[in-house]
């Protein structure tokens, strides 16, 4: 399963990082604590978070994550968008809350 | 092979966080270091960098890459750490509310550094600053 498949299946908004939409997704992780993600997220994960500042892109890049999904209709900060385009790590968005989004992604990725 | 890189870190400036770790990652990739080893090295470096930004006034990072290891020294001017053992405890943090709002300061940084390095050394003097040495075999 690729990032683009998730975008299409769940009608996610693509804010940035279009270069990375063909990336394979293997796992998911949910957290708003950056050190938790640095410590515990698996590579190739989709990361669901409420954080919108540009350090999320640095964390995703260092951990080789596949994409970031912002929930509750949140939008990324401008420098997050720039950083995401540079790194080719997509920032996606949904109006859904964390619980619903995580449940749907889990169902799809673990299929 | 002996490569050396230095980076300056500004306390409080989160917008520049991750420059050192991102550069080091690119270099290690070119040297064909395994992805798991690279992740360990850059995660510990990023955590150490974030600590300078979150707690100190300014700092300097020196990264030395040789044939079989990466050694990084992060030296800051800052408040220092009163009780290093306490600071190493998972969940213990002295980060400000602003830093916590960004999702940092959960008290996991030092334990992440510990888990992701082959050798970690921290020395600190209260009122002067802290020096962190990270070492990983590659």
């Amino acid at each position: 399963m690729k990032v683009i498949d998730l975008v299409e299946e769940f009608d996610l908004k693509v804010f940035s990082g279009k270069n990375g939409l063909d990336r394979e997704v293997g796992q998911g992780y949910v957290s708003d604590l950056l050190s938790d993600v640095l410590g515990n997220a698996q590579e190739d994960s989709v990361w669901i978070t409420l954080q919108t500042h540009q350090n999320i892109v640095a964390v995703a890049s260092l951990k080789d994550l596949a994409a970031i999904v912002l929930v509750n209709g949140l939008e990324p900060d401008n420098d997050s968008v720039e950083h995401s385009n540079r790194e080719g790590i997509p920032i996606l968005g949904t109006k859904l809350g964390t619980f619903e989004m995580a449940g749907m992604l889990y169902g799809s990725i673990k299929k | 092979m002996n490569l050396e890189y230095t980076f300056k870190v500004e306390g409080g400036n989160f917008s520049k966080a991750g420059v050192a770790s991102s550069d080091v990652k690119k270099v290690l990739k070119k040297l064909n270091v395994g992805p798991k080893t690279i992740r360990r090295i850059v995660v510990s470096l990023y955590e150490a960098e974030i600590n300078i930004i979150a707690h100190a006034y300014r700092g300097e990072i020196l990264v030395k890459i040789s044939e079989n290891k990466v050694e990084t020294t992060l030296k800051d001017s800052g408040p220092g750490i009163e009780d290093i053992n306490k600071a190493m405890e998972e969940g213990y943090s002295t980060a400000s509310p602003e830093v916590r709002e960004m999702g940092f300061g959960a008290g996991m940084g030092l334990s992440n550094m510990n888990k992701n390095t082959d050798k970690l050394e921290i020395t600190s003097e209260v009122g002067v600053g802290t020096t962190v040495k990270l070492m990983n075999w590659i």
Side-chain angles (χ1 to χ4, degrees):
Chain A
M1 167 156 311
K2 293 182 170 176
V3 176
I4 187 75
D5 300 327
L6 297 176
V7 168
E8 284 168 4
E9 188 172 350
F10 301 115
D11 195 22
L12 303 175
K13 186 164 179 182
V14 180
F15 290 112
S16 56
K18 289 196 174 73
N19 286 345
L21 289 174
D22 273 336
R23 173 86 182 261
E24 284 290 332
V25 177
Q27 269 290 343
Y29 202 73
V30 181
S31 186
D32 303 318
L33 295 177
L34 275 64
S35 282
D36 175 37
V37 178
L38 285 168
N40 300 315
Q42 302 277 321
E43 67 204 87
D44 302 323
S45 287
V46 172
W47 170 25
I48 301 174
T49 186
L50 297 168
Q51 298 289 356
T52 58
H53 57 83
Q54 69 155 342
N55 292 281
I56 58 174
V57 185
V59 167
S61 163
L62 297 176
K63 288 295 280 187
D64 296 320
L65 304 185
I68 300 164
V69 181
L70 305 181
V71 290
N72 291 347
L74 289 164
E75 296 188 4
D77 299 0
N78 288 337
D79 43 13
S80 306
V81 167
E82 282 167 34
H83 199 172
S84 145
N85 286 331
R86 243 187 356 254
E87 296 279 342
I89 297 176
I91 301 180
L92 314 172
T94 177
K95 288 203 163 56
L96 298 173
T98 304
F99 180 67
E100 285 79 9
M101 190 72 261
M104 287 176 170
L105 286 177
Y106 184 89
S108 198
I109 292 170
K110 295 287 179 179
K111 229 185 329 202
Chain B
M1 178 184 71
N2 253 319
L3 302 169
E4 285 196 13
Y5 303 90
T6 54
F7 303 90
K8 293 228 185 293
V9 184
E10 217 180 297
N13 189 353
F14 280 92
S15 70
K16 283 192 183 153
V19 171
S21 20
S22 168
D23 282 7
V24 168
K25 184 177 181 178
K26 280 175 202 141
V27 173
L28 295 176
K29 249 185 176 169
K30 273 189 200 147
L31 295 172
N32 283 321
V33 176
K36 208 174 161 191
T37 305
I38 295 182
R39 275 198 295 277
R40 277 166 54 84
I41 292 169
V42 296
V43 163
S44 51
L45 175 52
Y46 185 74
E47 290 282 15
E49 195 181 347
I50 288 293
N51 276 348
I52 297 180
I53 296 168
H55 298 283
Y57 316 126
R58 74 195 72 83
E60 210 173 78
I61 304 175
L62 171 64
V63 184
K64 287 187 192 174
I65 304 172
S66 63
E67 212 67 47
N68 58 357
K69 63 181 173 184
V70 178
E71 279 179 300
T72 306
T73 307
L74 301 100
K75 193 174 161 54
D76 73 47
S77 310
I81 304 171
E82 261 178 53
D83 184 343
I84 293 177
N85 287 332
K86 184 101 190 139
M88 292 296 291
E89 281 174 21
E90 195 151 313
Y92 179 81
S93 176
T94 57
S96 68
E98 291 77 17
V99 169
R100 287 171 199 257
E101 251 172 50
M102 294 176 80
F104 296 113
M108 300 175 76
L110 286 178
S111 84
N112 270 349
M113 280 156 62
N114 205 15
K115 278 183 222 158
N116 286 289
T117 45
D118 294 321
K119 199 172 154 201
L120 170 67
E121 269 177 35
I122 303 172
T123 49
S124 189
E125 197 179 334
V126 173
V128 178
T130 300
T131 300
V132 174
K133 285 186 184 175
L134 313 168
M135 198 280 284
N136 283 79
W137 302 107
I138 57 174

